[in-house]
Structures are given as structure tokens and as C-alpha cells.
Amino acid sequence: MSETLGGIEVDLQNAADSPIPNQQEFLKWVSLACGQQKPTAEVSIRVVEKDESQALNKQYRDKDKPTNVLSFPAEFPEGVDIPFLGDLVICAPIVVSEALEQHKTVESHWAHMVIHGTLHLLGYDHIEDNEAEEMEALETSLLQKLGHKCPYTTD
């Protein structure tokens, strides 16, 4: 199912058994992350259970465990300008369990995972300390615009 907001389009596929946010929420979060940097963009989001997350994490990252979000940036030849940013795969049970463990609302953690994944699609990373600081500051700022607390502090 696909939905658009301005120049942002989100294709949502739900393969999870547990409840997930509605498509408008996913669209809002992707749109916020894209901001001025990418006012026209398409993102595909697949929400999965632990087994699919684990299989993909093993195949693409050589980590044999499920994870909260996987980002697969689109790769096009140089000079090809298509608005498709890539795919996000989000594991619903992991998002819910992490929210509970981290004493966050489930909605806040969903927003964080979608924004975090979308920023990866836009080229942000957190491998180096300076990259992590920049990405975390941007995530915090965007989440605060939505009324959520900093995702990197616990209280």
C-alpha cells in the first residue's frame, strides 16, 4: 500500500503479526527525516517478524540475530536521478521490546527507528564518532519536533 505526503511517497508492507502504526505515521516520520534535503523521495518499508529480520541480518550483515531496523539504500548508476531512496526493514517485535526495555513509548521508538533508517538511506552513518554525534543530534532534534524525548537518554 502506497501513500504520499507532498513529494514523499511511502510504500508500506506489513508482514508482522503484531500491531503497527498506521501508514500516515510512517509517512510523517519519513517526510520529517527527508526534510529540506530530499523534498521528493520514495521509500519502501517492510515490517517483519524476528525470523525474517534475522535471515536478512545474517545475509546482508553477517549477524545471526534479529535487529530493529535494516536500511538498504538504492544504488543507481551515476547520472541517474530517481527519487527512490531505498528500503527499510523494521522488526515489529524488536521495536516493541526495545521500547519497553528503554522505558520509552512504543510510538516514540517506532518514530525513532523510521527516522534513523531514513537517515541511513540519505547517507548518514554512525560508524565514526563524529558521524554518530551528527546523526544522533539530528535524530534527537527531529524527534523533539514530534514531542518525543531524546532517544539516547534513559530516565
Side-chain angles (χ1 to χ4, degrees):
M1 181 172 16
S2 184
E3 186 126 357
T4 61
L5 175 66
I8 305 297
E9 181 175 344
V10 171
D11 176 37
L12 180 62
Q13 302 168 9
N14 183 9
D17 294 327
S18 48
I20 67 168
N22 67 49
Q23 186 153 5
Q24 284 295 321
E25 293 296 307
F26 285 97
L27 184 57
K28 175 175 67 175
W29 300 327
V30 169
S31 182
L32 183 63
C34 288
Q36 299 299 316
Q37 184 177 347
K38 202 75 167 161
T40 302
E42 297 173 25
V43 174
S44 176
I45 300 174
R46 181 169 172 82
V47 182
V48 300
E49 291 294 322
K50 287 182 178 180
D51 57 343
E52 187 172 343
S53 175
Q54 182 168 344
L56 290 168
N57 203 21
K58 172 84 171 124
Q59 180 178 354
Y60 291 100
R61 298 179 64 225
D62 201 29
K63 295 184 180 193
D64 195 14
K65 62 181 183 175
T67 189
N68 50 23
V69 61
L70 293 166
S71 302
F72 299 96
E75 296 178 9
F76 298 108
E78 192 173 322
V80 175
D81 189 22
I82 297 175
F84 184 67
L85 292 181
D87 302 304
L88 298 179
V89 177
I90 304 174
C91 183
I94 297 287
V95 172
V96 171
S97 66
E98 285 180 348
L100 296 173
E101 290 167 13
Q102 298 170 17
H103 308 287
K104 300 175 185 174
T105 66
V106 174
E107 177 191 352
S108 179
H109 201 47
W110 271 107
H112 182 209
M113 292 301 94
V114 173
I115 288 170
H116 181 89
T118 303
L119 291 177
H120 275 307
L121 297 180
L122 290 167
Y124 289 87
D125 214 333
H126 46 81
I127 295 171
E128 302 294 329
D129 286 346
N130 62 328
E131 294 173 332
E133 288 174 15
E134 178 184 6
M135 188 171 178
E136 289 173 11
L138 182 52
E139 289 170 345
T140 298
S141 171
L142 295 173
L143 287 163
Q144 287 175 337
K145 287 181 181 181
L146 295 169
H148 300 295
K149 296 177 182 175
C150 173
Y152 297 102
T153 59
T154 56
D155 41 291

